[in-house]
Amino acid sequence: MGLFDRFRTTVTSGSDSAKPDTSEQDATRLIDEGHALEAQGNLDEAMQRYLEALQLAPNPARAHLNRGNILLLQGDLQGALDAFKTAIKHRPDYAGAYYNIGNALQGNRQFDEAAVNYHRALEIQPDYAEVHCSLGIAHKELGQLDDAIASFQHALTINPDLVEAHYSLGQILQGLGSFDDAVTSCRHALAVNPDWAEAHYIMGLALQGLGLLDDAVASYRRALVINPEYAESYCGLCFAQQGLGLIDIAVTSGQRAIEIKPDLFEAHYNLAIALQKLGRFDDAEASYRQSLEIKPDFAEAQTNLGIVLKELGKFNAAETAHRRAIELKPELANAHINLGLLLLTQGRFAEGWLEHEARYDPSYSERQSLAPELGYPRWQGESLSGKSLLIWPEQGLGDEIQFSRYIPLLKSRGVSRVTLVCKQPLKSLLGTLEGVDAVVTLKETGSLPLHDYWAFPMSLPRFFDTTVETIPAVLPYLAASSEQVERWRRRLPAQKPKVGLVWKGNASHTNDANRSLSGLSMLAPLWSVPGVIFISLQKGQGEEDAAMPLPGQPILHLGSDITDFADTAAIVAELDLVICIDTAIAHLAGAMNKPCWVLLPAINTDWRWLQNRSDSLWYPGVMRLFRQTAGSDWVSTINDVADNLQLWVDERSGKM
């Protein structure tokens, strides 16, 4: 039951100031009997008592008001309004009658007219807490949220225990993202009425907004104990359980919400997200489409549908979905970035770079590109002749390596000084770039001199009008220092061929569950290729697999002793081949012109590898792509790598 429904049938009886006579006493008795009958659900008998009271009462305002209340319960809105207005004719200062008129109009969604009557009631009785609360609801429905908050707060200054005001205030605060205050309001409401399912639900939403997902789940479940058919609470559960990694359970919760309330578009949407996370793209598509049938202007569902359609290979339909999302909500950064990634994947760089700029929009839900506060402007393609430019890092280490290739091109445009800011592990490596004047880490930026402009590295392709045909791919553009190469050479076996391995990436990467292998053992088919020396470049996640290899896993583990990418580059320089998943090591090997085989996931394949290619235009002649053929099956892909490794070894030994 919504808050308004709790107020709609409220009867404000009032009292008469004149000394009662016998007729008035009888009328009062009849009204009280009517109240009792009304509470029992005997509306016809209650109405009869009120009509009898009207025949006796010298001042019939109270009986008219209560008669109107019965008519409202019976669905006769106009009759109820007429009765309330008749009460006011008999008693012009009857605040309760104006209040009930407001509630009746509010129940009919006539919020402007309801507000007018609430204001009239408050002119008569300014300290009427319930009227302030109902006025707040009218403001809320009219989108006047500041006024609504003020009304609820005013009601609570008059009556701190007014549970409906606490609840409604919490509801608005939650919607505004003031989650801490929303939780406080809901707790006040629940302290008075602990069995209020709606308040538990709103508190669940607020706790979810605070990232307290276990507590949110507990609130949703409490709401469901009170009301087992509360579809919205199952819908909230579906979302929170996904955040806890309980995707299968989330699917069940979403499905239950839909069973209870088939037209709850949020339930179809949340279920679609869960199905998408499970790789059930056909089912996810159906759920997104169902949510859009219910709410066709739901831009977020449109762009998520586009993502799913891309995974299903329906690129034209995916583009249509993203563009429709942008049409519905031009400011939706997720739709722009999703469209950009789709276009880039298709090699439509001219269009894609522009949309890809949405990656640093503050509203982008997965934003990793954070604009610095430097006191000078971002470069937007102006002439750089005689100007200084600072490149600010964004996203992953591999991105910094890949797009550092543009530094020499900047110098060709007349830049006087290029300063490259990077993450600490890349500093020494990026110092080998041609054209870079200074390389500093993020921690060292406090003492930087002023520059004319700054730029993100992933925006440089746009300003150089990079197309598939014009990718700057002069290799190598990074190198290892001779001193470090010599130091690491002493730790490497002399035997050839030496093949470097990386099987896991950064666990915080959004697609890591799909791109990383479960463990080193998955590469076991490679061990069957005789004569190969395997070198582990694995650092961090997965490092322990190589440090303590299983019997039959011939691998030399160096990852634990690697301190930065300059160390990794020195090792790679001494290798004959690198085999890795889609991580920064692939970009390092490619930038060094070292042969590299990359295992690509079937789900959410990164845009830079384009479609259906077994080579990379970013690293021509040295990189080979092995694509996963099914969403979770690496076996056939790794067997293919093993077969090709045997052919590669045979070619090197002259057997072919």
Side-chain angles (χ1 to χ4, degrees):
M1 181 182 294
L3 176 61
F4 176 74
D5 291 328
R6 300 171 67 88
F7 271 54
R8 185 175 63 185
T9 58
T10 299
V11 178
T12 305
S13 300
S15 61
D16 298 317
S17 58
K19 183 177 180 179
D21 57 19
T22 302
S23 296
E24 185 172 349
Q25 290 176 342
D26 289 340
T28 299
R29 174 182 55 78
L30 288 166
I31 291 172
D32 290 340
E33 289 177 4
H35 271 310
L37 290 165
E38 185 180 331
Q40 297 168 7
N42 297 325
L43 300 186
D44 290 336
E45 293 184 44
M47 177 65 83
Q48 184 61 41
R49 295 296 190 279
Y50 297 145
L51 292 173
E52 291 174 8
L54 284 173
Q55 295 176 355
L56 298 173
N59 186 348
R62 186 180 173 203
H64 279 297
L65 184 136
N66 289 347
R67 181 174 65 86
N69 195 66
I70 293 290
L71 291 169
L72 195 60
L73 287 171
Q74 292 174 333
D76 184 356
L77 174 64
Q78 190 56 53
L81 291 173
D82 290 342
F84 296 146
K85 290 174 182 177
T86 302
I88 291 172
K89 287 180 182 178
H90 287 279
R91 183 177 165 187
D93 64 346
Y94 203 164
Y98 283 112
Y99 172 46
N100 279 14
I101 290 174
N103 287 337
L105 292 169
Q106 191 138 290
N108 201 44
R109 304 194 63 78
Q110 296 172 251
F111 300 112
D112 283 312
E113 295 90 336
V116 169
N117 282 275
Y118 293 140
H119 281 296
R120 287 176 179 168
L122 291 172
E123 288 172 3
I124 298 166
Q125 190 173 335
D127 62 347
Y128 202 154
E130 289 79 4
V131 178
H132 283 290
C133 186
S134 286
L135 177 59
I137 295 170
H139 284 312
K140 171 180 173 289
E141 294 294 339
L142 291 167
Q144 302 161 353
L145 299 186
D146 289 339
D147 291 335
I149 290 171
S151 291
F152 294 134
Q153 290 173 334
H154 197 156
L156 290 169
T157 61
I158 300 167
N159 180 3
D161 294 327
L162 187 58
V163 64
E164 292 85 357
H166 282 299
Y167 166 78
S168 296
L169 180 58
Q171 193 177 37
I172 290 180
L173 292 171
Q174 185 278 320
L176 291 173
S178 299
F179 301 124
D180 282 311
D181 292 336
V183 168
T184 299
S185 292
C186 289
R187 290 195 193 284
H188 281 302
L190 291 167
V192 179
N193 183 0
D195 292 329
W196 195 347
E198 291 85 353
H200 284 289
Y201 167 66
I202 294 299
M203 187 158 74
L205 291 176
L207 291 166
Q208 184 173 295
L210 291 169
L212 303 173
L213 298 182
D214 286 311
D215 293 335
V217 167
S219 288
Y220 293 138
R221 291 203 181 282
R222 177 60 183 153
L224 289 167
V225 169
I226 300 165
N227 178 7
E229 299 297 300
Y230 197 171
E232 287 81 358
S233 204
Y234 273 114
C235 182
L237 261 183
C238 176
F239 193 88
Q241 287 164 340
Q242 290 180 57
L244 292 169
L246 306 173
I247 312 299
D248 288 312
I249 297 174
V251 168
T252 301
S253 296
Q255 290 170 334
R256 179 64 182 133
I258 292 166
E259 288 175 7
I260 298 169
K261 195 171 184 178
D263 61 347
L264 184 61
F265 75 88
E266 296 98 330
H268 292 281
Y269 179 67
N270 287 349
L271 175 60
I273 294 173
L275 293 167
Q276 182 176 342
K277 289 178 178 178
L278 290 174
R280 294 170 55 182
F281 298 119
D282 286 310
D283 293 333
E285 177 189 356
S287 289
Y288 281 130
R289 291 196 184 280
Q290 185 61 46
S291 73
L292 288 165
E293 284 187 20
I294 300 168
K295 189 176 181 181
D297 61 348
F298 193 8
E300 287 81 357
Q302 281 285 0
T303 193
N304 280 8
L305 173 62
I307 295 172
V308 167
L309 291 168
K310 174 179 175 287
E311 296 298 333
L312 291 170
K314 303 174 182 179
F315 288 88
N316 290 339
E319 181 176 349
T320 298
H322 293 316
R323 293 194 185 279
R324 175 59 179 154
I326 292 169
E327 180 183 336
L328 290 168
K329 195 173 182 180
E331 73 278 12
L332 184 60
N334 281 52
H336 287 284
I337 190 66
N338 290 334
L339 175 60
L341 293 173
L342 176 67
L343 295 170
L344 292 173
T345 298
Q346 295 175 294
R348 296 162 62 183
F349 285 0
E351 303 168 87
W353 297 131
L354 185 61
E355 297 291 349
H356 193 235
E357 291 293 282
R359 69 190 182 280
Y360 56 82
D361 189 303
S363 65
Y364 175 39
S365 63
E366 298 179 16
R367 182 170 66 128
Q368 300 177 54
S369 302
L370 305 176
E373 296 181 3
L374 296 172
Y376 43 91
R378 182 170 174 237
W379 183 49
Q380 298 289 349
E382 300 92 338
S383 171
L384 291 173
S385 180
K387 304 294 185 181
S388 57
L389 179 67
L390 180 141
I391 306 298
W392 191 264
E394 59 172 330
Q395 303 199 30
L397 298 169
D399 297 303
E400 293 188 58
I401 293 172
Q402 179 181 359
F403 294 100
S404 66
R405 69 183 66 214
Y406 283 89
I407 301 300
L409 298 181
L410 288 167
K411 276 302 181 78
S412 71
R413 288 201 175 186
V415 176
S416 62
R417 184 174 81 254
V418 175
T419 300
L420 185 58
V421 181
C422 67
K423 301 178 184 72
Q424 177 64 47
L426 290 172
K427 181 178 180 180
S428 295
L429 173 69
L430 293 179
T432 68
L433 270 170
E434 177 189 347
V436 69
D437 294 290
V439 179
V440 298
T441 67
L442 287 165
K443 291 183 178 180
E444 298 170 330
T445 55
S447 59
L448 279 175
L450 290 176
H451 288 65
D452 292 299
Y453 301 105
W454 70 270
F456 280 132
M458 295 178 73
S459 293
L460 299 178
R462 173 190 169 203
F463 296 124
F464 281 93
D465 298 319
T466 301
T467 66
V468 169
E469 294 76 22
T470 64
I471 291 174
V474 178
L475 305 178
Y477 58 87
L478 292 177
S481 75
S482 57
E483 292 180 3
Q484 285 179 298
V485 170
E486 181 58 32
R487 180 167 63 87
W488 282 102
R489 182 184 292 137
R490 292 194 291 269
R491 295 193 56 181
L492 292 167
Q495 182 181 342
K496 286 178 172 286
K498 290 185 279 290
V499 176
L501 296 179
V502 177
W503 54 96
K504 282 185 178 289
N506 187 338
S508 64
H509 190 281
T510 55
N511 199 42
D512 190 65
N514 294 312
R515 69 169 186 161
S516 285
L517 306 183
S518 60
L520 174 61
S521 61
M522 290 194 70
L523 294 174
L526 305 187
W527 316 151
S528 64
V529 180
V532 176
I533 301 298
F534 294 103
I535 309 297
S536 169
L537 302 174
Q538 190 67 46
K539 185 75 176 172
Q541 182 186 205
E543 192 177 313
E544 66 283 355
D545 290 358
M548 300 179 65
L550 296 173
Q553 290 183 333
I555 192 165
L556 172 63
H557 176 51
L558 298 179
S560 297
D561 297 329
I562 293 173
T563 60
D564 61 11
F565 271 81
D567 278 338
T568 307
I571 299 170
V572 168
E574 288 297 294
L575 301 179
D576 300 290
L577 173 67
V578 173
I579 299 175
C580 62
I581 64 159
D582 181 8
T583 189
I585 302 299
H587 295 284
L588 173 63
M592 293 178 65
N593 205 32
K594 181 66 63 175
C596 181
W597 296 358
V598 185
L599 282 66
L600 297 180
I603 296 175
N604 199 17
T605 311
D606 198 276
W607 65 267
R608 70 200 76 209
W609 310 122
L610 302 176
Q611 292 175 262
N612 305 318
R613 297 189 71 103
S614 60
D615 65 337
S616 170
L617 296 176
W618 294 94
Y619 306 102
V622 295
M623 190 165 286
R624 187 169 177 182
L625 309 177
F626 290 82
R627 296 177 182 267
Q628 191 182 43
T629 55
S632 60
D633 175 29
W634 281 111
V635 174
S636 59
T637 306
I638 293 170
N639 284 334
D640 187 25
V641 173
D643 291 341
N644 280 275
L645 182 61
Q646 181 66 68
L647 292 172
W648 179 79
V649 169
D650 290 343
E651 289 175 357
R652 288 175 58 87
S653 62
K655 292 182 180 179
M656 297 295 292

